[in-house]
Amino acid sequence: MIGRLRGVVAEIAEEDALVDVGGVGYVVRCGARTLSRLPAIGDETVLHVETQWSEATGMRLYGFNTRDERHAFVVLQAIQGVGPKAALGVLDVLSPGELAQAAARDDKAAVARAQGVGPKLAQRIVTELKDKPLTDGGVAGFHAQVQSNVAPPTPTASGEAVAALLGLGVAEPAARRLVEQASLRLGEDAEAGALIKAALQELGR
């Protein structure tokens, strides 16, 4: 599953953006708040991504400026009647912190400002979010404390390529085999983008 993308903004549309990562373009669905904060086309950006899969639509990537926004997006969809579109609408009008405050105050009017969210659904949202954390700061803090003296591992080009293929729905054994074949052809010094391209070409044969 894709959890984060770092790449160049290639296109920005009304509901999504195209991010070029090493020559591979990812279509990422974003709310208006996220799209408005993207850099200019041609500049690099980092998006926190929630990957979802359904038989009707296949794989979809949802992008956010912060990890907390992605976390709130997931929490919102656990509420009955809240799908991806409504969750994005809520986060367009309220940041995770503001949403938590609205839930604490039982301020359904603030939530109802979101497109596609009526009064009944807004009430359900604030009721169910009262005791739920909308940020993962506690988890992040725990990992930061545990790993404070441990240098993070440097990702390899092959590892990044395999992760990208997994995010595109390729089974892990096939992804590793394709990347290994690409690495043999291109050499050990090949970058992740080149490996991904070569693997996708091999997959399409």
Side-chain angles (χ1 to χ4, degrees), residues 175-191:
R176 294 190 180 280
R177 176 177 54 81
L178 289 167
V179 171
E180 286 176 3
Q181 292 174 347
S183 181
L184 288 173
R185 290 205 315 270
L186 300 178
E188 295 181 356
D189 296 331
E191 295 183 354

Side-chain angles (χ1 to χ4, degrees), residues 1 6 124 164 169 193:
M1 304 296 280
R6 179 191 295 274
R124 185 182 304 148

Side-chain angles (χ1 to χ4, degrees), residues 128-147:
E128 296 200 23
L129 291 184
K130 279 187 178 180
D131 299 321
K132 292 183 179 178
L134 289 177
T135 68
D136 58 358
V139 176
F142 171 77
H143 285 295
Q145 182 177 5
V146 171
Q147 300 180 358

Side-chain angles (χ1 to χ4, degrees), residues 39-189:
I41 292 176
D43 290 344
E44 187 179 74
T45 187
V46 175
L47 287 175
H48 296 269
V49 173
E50 175 64 22
T51 304
Q52 296 189 354
W53 171 271
S54 72
E55 293 186 359
T57 62
M59 185 177 71
R60 281 189 173 175
L61 306 180
Y62 295 89
F64 306 90
N65 295 122
T66 69
R67 186 169 54 187
D68 285 346
E69 289 173 348
R70 182 184 68 186
H71 180 73
F73 176 74
V74 174
V75 173
L76 279 165
Q77 288 181 87
I79 300 172
Q80 182 180 359
V82 180
K85 189 172 183 179
L88 288 177
V90 171
L91 293 173
D92 276 345
V93 298
L94 297 169
S95 68
E98 292 168 341
L99 181 57
Q101 292 174 6
R105 296 193 307 267
D106 199 27
D107 187 359
K108 66 178 183 181
V111 178
R113 291 189 289 117
Q115 185 176 2
V117 177
K120 289 185 178 179
L121 183 55
Q123 182 62 65
R124 185 182 304 148
I125 290 172
V126 297
T127 298
E128 296 200 23
L129 291 184
K130 279 187 178 180
D131 299 321
K132 292 183 179 178
L134 289 177
T135 68
D136 58 358
V139 176
F142 171 77
H143 285 295
Q145 182 177 5
V146 171
Q147 300 180 358
S148 59
N149 295 319
V150 180
T154 302
T156 64
S158 295
E160 290 181 9
V162 170
L165 293 178
L166 292 176
L168 293 172
V170 180
E172 184 173 352
R176 294 190 180 280
R177 176 177 54 81
L178 289 167
V179 171
E180 286 176 3
Q181 292 174 347
S183 181
L184 288 173
R185 290 205 315 270
L186 300 178
E188 295 181 356
D189 296 331

